[in-house]
Amino acid sequence: MPNARLSTPSRRGILAAGGALGLGAALAACGSDSKDSGSGAKSGSAKSGPWSFKDDRGTTAKADKVPANVVAFTSVAAALWDYGIECKGVFGPTKTSDGKADVQAGDIDVDKVTIIGNEWGRFNIEKYATLSPDLLVTTVYDTAGTLWSVPLESKDKILKLAPSVGISVYDRQMTQPLERLLELAGSLGADVKAEKTVKAKKRFEDAAARLRKAAKARPEIQVLIGSASQDIFYVSGSNLSADLEYFKSLGVNLVEPSEKAKKASGGWFENLSWENIDKYPADVIMMDNRTATIQPADIEKPTWKKLPAVKAGQVIPRVTEPIYSYAKCAPILEDLAEAIEKAKKVG
């Protein structure tokens, strides 16, 4: 995560908010990744004439024509892919150790795109340059406009090679990055009124209505947002993260860590020892689904197994870094709605 130079959390802090902990200096690394890569896929249709897009940093990216060679953070590339924009290169978690698509890769053909860094913070500048990039796209998690997974120590070299776009997912509801990425896709040549897209948006809206209804009908159901590392269990607060802010706006009863505890992390989370993970009662637990975190099935801690929600089988994944397309975000709302509808009061 970016090493924000303001009142926002550190690189490690934001990782902890989502639960990708214990990666240490490896996350800050810059340079060559493994040699897995694919051939570049085509991007948007090559329209003639100038192109521009004002991003959430207030920066306007400009080009003489619609960018064709787009390189994006993996989950952003996956969102663009859903709209028919195939990025030529990606950086961020893309392939797992067995060569399969990472959860953040969505429907991307991971054997087709060029991977210029297969984990957060790894960015092979030489490989990036060979793609003749027209545009770099990623997310933003702070007020400084720090580009997600673009190493600070080499960002100046990287940003000289192509214009960049940052889509903010910080301290706002998930509907905003959804709208912005659809807008960006449209500027790159996607048909934003295509039947597939219209249906996906309708499904998302229906899912939101269902979640609102479920939360209203079951206000007593408390949902805890967790993430596991070897030594620490992290409980995320509902502010700052776009998905959690949206859940809260729909009425979901989210467990809130103490303000004092969150202050140390810039407002994102509270860290608990495994001995104290029963501090907050919960009926449903949503656990960080990213590959850098320990997944529920692999947690052997006795205190975890004793949690009422765990014993009741009321643990579901949290898509901590959503793929911000309507097609990918609708199931997130549906799954949470179903969990609340079916949950037993155990916390």
Side-chain angles (χ1 to χ4, degrees):
M1 306 298 178
N3 189 7
R5 290 165 288 183
L6 9 129
S7 60
T8 50
S10 66
R11 169 179 303 176
R12 183 177 177 84
I14 302 180
L15 278 167
L21 299 224
L23 304 183
L27 289 174
C30 171
S32 297
D33 194 44
S34 59
K35 295 183 178 181
D36 43 352
S37 64
S39 58
K42 66 178 181 180
S43 181
S45 57
K47 296 180 180 177
S48 60
W51 173 91
S52 67
F53 186 87
K54 186 174 182 179
D55 73 2
D56 294 335
R57 300 171 298 170
T59 300
T60 300
K62 297 180 180 180
D64 293 336
K65 60 181 180 180
V66 174
N69 296 340
V70 180
V71 176
F73 182 71
T74 304
S75 60
V76 174
L80 294 173
W81 186 284
D82 284 351
Y83 296 125
I85 304 299
E86 298 183 16
C87 292
K88 190 170 185 178
V90 296
F91 56 100
T94 306
K95 281 186 176 182
T96 57
S97 58
D98 59 2
K100 295 180 180 179
D102 186 272
V103 292
Q104 294 191 55
D107 294 328
I108 293 174
D109 184 340
V110 295
D111 293 319
K112 190 176 182 181
V113 296
T114 298
I115 301 171
I116 60 175
N118 198 36
E119 62 183 56
W120 188 91
R122 293 193 69 86
F123 197 110
N124 188 318
I125 301 176
E126 291 75 19
K127 187 180 287 189
Y128 177 59
T130 64
L131 298 180
S132 301
D134 297 322
L135 180 67
L136 182 146
V137 190
T138 186
T139 47
V140 170
Y141 277 85
D142 59 25
T143 56
T146 308
L147 294 175
W148 192 242
S149 200
V150 175
L152 290 177
E153 59 270 31
S154 53
K155 72 177 181 65
D156 291 341
K157 292 181 180 178
I158 294 168
L159 297 181
K160 283 181 180 179
L161 297 176
S164 63
V165 164
I167 301 297
S168 180
V169 294
Y170 174 75
D171 196 17
R172 62 196 58 208
Q173 296 180 19
M174 71 189 311
T175 48
Q176 291 174 273
L178 276 169
E179 292 167 358
R180 292 292 279 149
L181 270 167
L182 179 59
E183 182 183 352
L184 176 62
S187 78
L188 295 173
D191 180 1
V192 299
K193 295 183 179 180
E195 182 180 6
K196 178 182 176 182
T197 298
V198 172
K199 286 184 175 179
K201 188 173 183 180
K202 177 63 166 56
R203 180 183 174 185
F204 176 84
E205 292 167 348
D206 289 345
R210 178 183 174 184
L211 180 54
R212 187 190 299 276
K213 182 179 179 180
K216 185 177 181 179
R218 303 295 307 279
E220 77 281 9
I221 299 300
Q222 295 178 287
V223 180
L224 182 144
I225 311 300
S227 185
S229 71
Q230 187 61 42
D231 300 315
I232 301 174
F233 185 83
Y234 295 84
V235 179
S236 292
S238 65
N239 58 329
L240 304 184
S241 297
D243 61 334
L244 305 187
E245 289 205 8
Y246 190 53
F247 299 163
K248 187 175 181 179
S249 77
L250 295 175
V252 175
N253 183 3
L254 295 174
V255 171
E256 293 291 348
S258 70
E259 290 302 319
K260 182 179 180 180
K262 288 193 298 180
K263 187 176 181 180
S265 69
W268 290 88
F269 63 93
E270 176 176 0
N271 56 319
L272 300 173
S273 67
W274 281 101
E275 290 74 23
N276 296 313
I277 63 171
D278 60 352
K279 178 177 180 178
Y280 298 106
D283 305 294
V284 173
I285 300 176
M286 296 185 74
M287 290 293 290
D288 188 341
N289 75 332
R290 292 179 297 176
T291 52
T293 66
I294 302 175
Q295 296 305 301
D298 299 320
I299 300 175
E300 297 296 335
K301 306 287 186 180
T303 49
W304 165 259
K305 294 181 179 181
K306 290 179 182 178
L307 291 177
V310 175
K311 292 171 69 175
Q314 295 175 177
V315 179
I316 65 172
R318 178 201 175 191
V319 183
T320 306
E321 289 187 58
I323 294 169
Y324 282 103
S325 71
Y326 289 102
K328 293 298 185 294
C329 285
I332 295 173
L333 304 186
E334 292 166 348
D335 291 346
L336 180 54
E338 182 178 11
I340 293 173
E341 292 163 354
K342 296 180 176 180
K344 297 176 181 178
K345 180 63 183 173
V346 296

